[in-house]
């Protein structure tokens, strides 16, 4: 499997809830690898299944900065099992909302349980950018985008801008 097309919002496929993965097999590992390839090709730091029309609870992420060595993480059935009361506000973007950014407030620290690509149960304590990225990606599995954390006015402004761009591209 190679690079996959990324679904751009607004699109009903981004609103679908992902199914849990029962067995971590080769087909799941292939999907995770294709998701990583897609994410790296587009300079993303995270990608969730629904964004590439895979409606399974799969997330990939790599928050290594430019110049740092790659640190790909593959998460199957990731779940936030604890979140701090402390909140943090960070600017977020999304490969499904190209060139759109907004400040989003979320718990500053989370604990995420998941299965790795071998099917082994794992847990990860995250803060900073990783905490933001994991919560953002896990949201995708529930059909939630970062704009769903914004006021209706801000959300509609961003989604309208994307629809307009799509129409203009379609007409070109
Ligand atoms: Ni996203």
């Amino acid at each position: 499997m190679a690079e996959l097309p990324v679904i751009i919002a607004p699109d009903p496929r981004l609103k679908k809830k992902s199914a849990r993965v029962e067995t971590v097999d080769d087909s799941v590992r292939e999907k995770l690898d294709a998701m990583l390839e897609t994410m790296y090709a587009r300079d993303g730091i995270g990608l969730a299944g629904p964004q590439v029309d895979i409606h399974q609870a799969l997330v990939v992420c790599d928050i290594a900065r430019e110049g740092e060595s790659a640190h790909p993480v593959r998460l199957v059935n990731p779940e936030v099992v604890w979140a701090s009361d402390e909140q943090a506000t960070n600017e977020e973007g999304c490969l499904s909302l190209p060139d759109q950014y907004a400040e989003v407030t979320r718990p500053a620290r989370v604990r995420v349980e998941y299965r790795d690509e071998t099917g082994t149960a794992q847990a990860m304590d995250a803060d900073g950018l990783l905490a933001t990225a994991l919560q953002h990606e896990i949201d995708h599995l529930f059909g939630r985008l970062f704009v769903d954390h914004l006021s209706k006015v801000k959300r509609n402004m961003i989604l309208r801008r994307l629809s307009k761009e799509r129409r203009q591209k379609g007409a070109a």
Side-chain angles (χ1 to χ4, degrees):
M1 222 186 259
E3 215 183 298
L4 304 164
V6 174
I7 298 173
I8 306 301
D11 189 303
R13 289 172 293 176
L14 292 171
K15 295 266 164 212
K16 277 169 73 173
K17 195 168 179 270
S18 297
R20 277 179 73 81
V21 175
E22 295 302 328
T23 314
V24 182
D25 55 16
D26 282 343
S27 88
V28 167
R29 283 185 280 275
E30 263 175 45
K31 285 173 192 161
L32 289 165
D33 286 345
M35 285 168 63
L36 275 170
E37 199 179 325
T38 306
M39 180 190 84
Y40 286 129
R42 290 162 188 262
D43 290 324
I45 61 167
L47 188 73
Q51 294 181 271
V52 286
D53 215 12
I54 294 173
H55 299 281
Q56 287 178 291
L58 302 177
V59 161
V60 294
C61 132
D62 187 343
I63 58 155
R65 289 169 202 283
E66 219 175 309
E68 289 177 0
S69 48
H71 185 64
V73 184
R74 298 162 173 87
L75 304 99
V76 177
N77 300 336
E79 214 181 316
V80 176
V81 296
W82 175 85
S84 64
D85 291 332
E86 189 197 334
Q87 305 280 305
T89 302
N90 291 290
E91 186 170 78
E92 294 188 26
C94 180
L95 294 178
S96 292
L97 294 98
D99 303 318
Q100 308 300 321
Y101 302 90
E103 303 253 296
V104 178
T105 301
R106 302 179 184 271
R109 284 169 286 125
V110 290
R111 183 173 178 85
V112 172
E113 289 182 354
Y114 62 102
R115 289 191 182 273
D116 67 16
E117 65 273 24
T118 69
T120 307
Q122 302 280 0
M124 196 188 288
D125 291 307
D127 61 6
L129 180 58
L130 184 60
T132 299
L134 290 175
Q135 291 175 83
H136 174 123
E137 299 314 329
I138 292 171
D139 263 359
H140 275 297
L141 304 178
F142 291 92
R144 286 193 298 263
L145 304 174
F146 79 81
V147 290
D148 294 321
H149 292 271
L150 307 177
S151 69
K152 200 176 169 190
V153 172
K154 278 191 196 163
R155 174 167 63 247
N156 287 340
M157 198 176 71
I158 290 178
L159 293 176
R160 266 200 302 269
R161 213 182 287 153
L162 288 166
S163 299
K164 193 176 159 199
E165 264 172 40
R166 184 181 313 181
R167 279 198 305 273
Q168 282 168 346
K169 267 183 205 155

